[in-house]
Amino acid sequence: MQDVIDYLTQNRDAALEQLKELLRIPTVSADSAFAQDMLAGARFVHNSLKEAGLNVETIQTPGHPIIYAEWLKAEGAPTVLIYGHYDVQPPDPLDLWTTPAFDPDVRAGCIWARGATDDKGQCWTHVLSVAAWLKVHGSLPVNVKFVIEGEEEVGSRNLDVFLEQHKEKLACDVAVVSDSSQYAPGIPAITYGLRGILACEVTVTGPSRDLHSGSFGGAVINPVNALCRLMGKLHDDQGRIQIPGFYDSVIALTDEERAQFAELPFDEAEWLGDLGTNAPWGEAGYSSNERRWARPTCDINGIFGGYAGEGPKTIVPSKATAKITCRLVPDQNPEQLTEALKEFLIDNLQPGSELEFTSQHGAPASVADLNSPYMAAAKSAIEKSFGKVPVMIREGGSIPVVGSFKEILGVDTLLLGWGQNSDNLHSPNEHFSIEDFHRGTAASAYLWQELANG
Ligand code: BES
């Protein structure tokens, strides 16, 4: 084992260089302008896994390719399915980046680029640890299968079909994903729960063209006003979501879990200060960690319509659009709630306007077994590399594949996040601590041994 750790330590610079190469490829899955770059990203992942000594295939989908790789020579040992994603969120707004999003920069102990932490940097820790084991020993203590996809940031829309079609090939004992965060700097964590999600877009239309607001304003519907009014109805003054039936299937937090959350160190003023705001907001009766990890939400992610250029313009705009996502908790059903949201919006629509509703994607929440032998192996691997026993947390973000692994392959996922929530994922100036990149890689190398020891 120590020889693998030594190899990783000696080859840290090369590991970072390889990550930088991947970060230079602008793999923005949401925007078709980056289609060629997505292919280049897939090729890079394919070739790196092949160089590491695995059998690799690139699977075409109606969207972006999936890379599958395997090494299955550890007879009798457990089989681990490692998942990551090579796609990233759009880098906009570009002018807020200190250095360009796809020109990775090393400063202040971090690597700065879109995808540094979400998820190229984190995913790469497993590629590097597997490569190191194979280089040093010519073998691994466990069997490994990699699935690295290019559509996580757009809802993993072609992944379930792939999982269904290759169920036998993907059979495993446990899945491992590093695409989340530690609890805080110096406090490594294992995430045992994630929220689910539903995403949709809503357009309200009124008059067939923009109108002079003096000649017509006040006498016909204004779709921007109407959409804002509609969006205003989503919550009451206590932060409760008003969609009928929205909370019906929510599994309430147990007293035990609430107590466990409350034990985690949390300085609310500091947390808010870091976010640049001065007061928490949310559903009455819940702490901030409860709100972000275990209560559902309804957020408008973007709203647009009418004139947004410089100076005034006096119009009644003809349409307005909002992009909405709800974060879901066990046992909420994304399909049912998408319908409930649509009905709620239609029922509250004002006369003279029409509503177009497009569902984009959905995934259920997930909670893993805290007492499995796999959890124990992960705790021990993290403790060996980070020097501290990880705390157990839930997270508010979503990784759609985790629910699919449970449903289609019947396995739990170990969510071993090496990042920090302050890494600016989905935001300008995304970064990842280089120390955590290396510590995560070592923890991954230990994990294969710990899982084999059972
Ligand atoms: N890495 C995140 C999920 C995450 C973020 C987990 C923070 C834990 C803490 C992941 O890549 C992501 O951003 N997922 C999307 C999924 C969605 C588009 C279906 C998300 O949560 O918005």
Side-chain angles (χ1 to χ4, degrees):
M1 180 75 245
Q2 191 53 44
D3 42 9
V4 177
I5 299 298
D6 291 344
Y7 175 87
L8 287 170
T9 308
Q10 283 150 18
N11 288 281
R12 282 180 164 197
D13 291 348
L16 193 63
E17 280 313 308
Q18 195 186 27
L19 174 60
K20 277 192 193 167
E21 240 184 281
L22 176 58
L23 290 170
R24 279 190 200 105
I25 311 172
T27 48
V28 181
S29 51
D31 185 343
S32 56
F34 294 87
Q36 287 307 315
D37 301 298
M38 289 303 297
L39 295 178
R43 265 196 309 274
F44 185 93
V45 173
H46 181 118
N47 293 339
S48 305
L49 287 164
K50 196 166 164 195
E51 257 169 55
L54 292 100
N55 291 330
V56 194
E57 281 173 66
T58 292
I59 294 101
Q60 303 304 330
T61 75
H64 305 301
I66 297 169
I67 290 86
Y68 172 78
E70 61 180 28
W71 186 93
L72 303 174
K73 296 182 191 157
E75 221 177 293
T79 299
V80 185
L81 180 59
I82 304 156
Y83 164 90
H85 61 95
Y86 64 90
D87 66 321
V88 299
Q89 288 268 324
D92 316 70
L94 297 177
D95 55 327
L96 294 184
W97 285 78
T98 304
T99 51
F102 296 109
D103 186 3
D105 190 42
V106 170
R107 59 178 191 277
C110 293
I111 180 152
W112 302 72
R114 171 58 86 235
T117 190
D118 184 8
D119 173 44
K120 290 173 174 171
Q122 296 207 59
C123 167
W124 222 247
T125 61
H126 300 299
V127 175
L128 290 166
S129 82
V130 164
W133 267 100
L134 291 175
K135 185 87 184 166
V136 174
H137 288 281
S139 66
L140 279 151
V142 288
N143 299 297
V144 296
K145 300 177 177 181
F146 278 91
V147 170
I148 302 186
E149 70 150 324
E151 296 191 292
E152 197 269 357
E153 299 292 7
V154 287
S156 297
R157 51 195 167 205
N158 293 296
L159 196 65
D160 280 6
V161 172
F162 168 75
L163 298 182
E164 292 280 7
Q165 282 176 352
H166 299 88
K167 245 189 211 174
E168 274 91 63
K169 186 179 185 152
L170 298 170
C172 57
D173 295 290
V174 68
V176 171
V177 178
S178 291
D179 190 22
S180 50
S181 301
Q182 300 179 54
Y183 181 63
I187 311 184
I190 295 179
T191 301
Y192 67 92
L194 288 171
R195 288 194 290 193
I197 192 166
L198 71 80
C200 65
E201 193 169 301
V202 182
T203 297
V204 172
T205 49
S208 61
R209 59 194 182 280
D210 290 356
L211 301 174
H212 190 291
S213 66
S215 307
F216 302 101
V220 288
I221 191 88
N222 176 326
V224 178
N225 291 7
L227 182 68
C228 290
R229 190 182 142 103
L230 207 49
M231 296 298 101
K233 290 190 176 209
L234 287 169
H235 297 89
D236 70 8
D237 289 345
Q238 273 69 48
R240 290 275 297 183
I241 295 155
Q242 298 299 296
I243 302 165
F246 191 77
Y247 293 93
D248 286 359
S249 327
V250 170
I251 297 183
L253 274 164
T254 59
D255 290 345
E256 194 189 346
E257 213 174 2
R258 293 188 93 167
Q260 198 184 307
F261 288 4
E263 268 171 31
L264 293 165
F266 187 66
D267 182 334
E268 187 153 82
E270 190 185 318
W271 179 70
L272 290 170
D274 181 52
L275 301 180
T277 178
N278 55 19
W281 180 91
E283 198 183 352
Y286 294 93
S287 71
S288 291
N289 275 348
E290 288 168 353
R291 286 173 178 164
R292 66 197 181 113
W293 293 349
R295 297 297 300 168
T297 67
C298 186
D299 276 309
I300 303 164
N301 307 117
I303 188 160
F304 40 98
Y307 180 67
E310 197 180 331
K313 187 180 186 198
T314 45
I315 53 163
V316 173
S318 82
K319 62 179 185 175
T321 299
K323 288 178 187 285
I324 304 172
T325 50
C326 295
R327 296 285 169 174
L328 309 177
V329 301
D331 263 343
Q332 288 181 300
N333 177 308
E335 288 81 32
Q336 267 172 17
L337 291 181
T338 300
E339 275 311 302
L341 170 59
K342 184 177 170 183
E343 262 172 47
F344 174 80
L345 296 174
I346 290 171
D347 288 350
N348 286 281
L349 198 62
Q350 289 173 290
S353 57
E354 279 176 28
L355 186 126
E356 192 186 314
F357 182 97
T358 315
S359 167
Q360 292 169 319
H361 57 78
S366 58
V367 175
D369 177 7
L370 280 169
N371 298 311
S372 74
Y374 309 118
M375 277 290 178
K379 273 186 201 168
S380 164
I382 291 175
E383 188 181 359
K384 284 193 165 131
S385 178
F386 285 78
K388 281 187 189 153
V389 180
V391 295
M392 304 303 289
I393 60 170
R394 283 170 68 166
E395 264 292 359
S398 312
I399 306 177
V401 75
V402 175
S404 306
F405 282 162
K406 185 81 192 174
E407 203 179 295
I408 302 170
L409 304 179
V411 295
D412 267 356
T413 298
L414 294 170
L415 292 161
L416 313 178
W418 318 130
Q420 298 291 345
N421 280 330
S422 54
D423 285 346
N424 291 338
L425 28 166
H426 295 202
S427 177
N429 298 314
E430 178 176 347
H431 56 282
F432 184 27
S433 149
I434 292 171
E435 196 54 40
D436 283 337
F437 173 57
H438 296 313
R439 277 197 282 239
T441 306
S444 167
Y446 282 120
L447 179 65
W448 315 137
Q449 184 68 65
E450 294 294 324
L451 286 169
N453 293 346

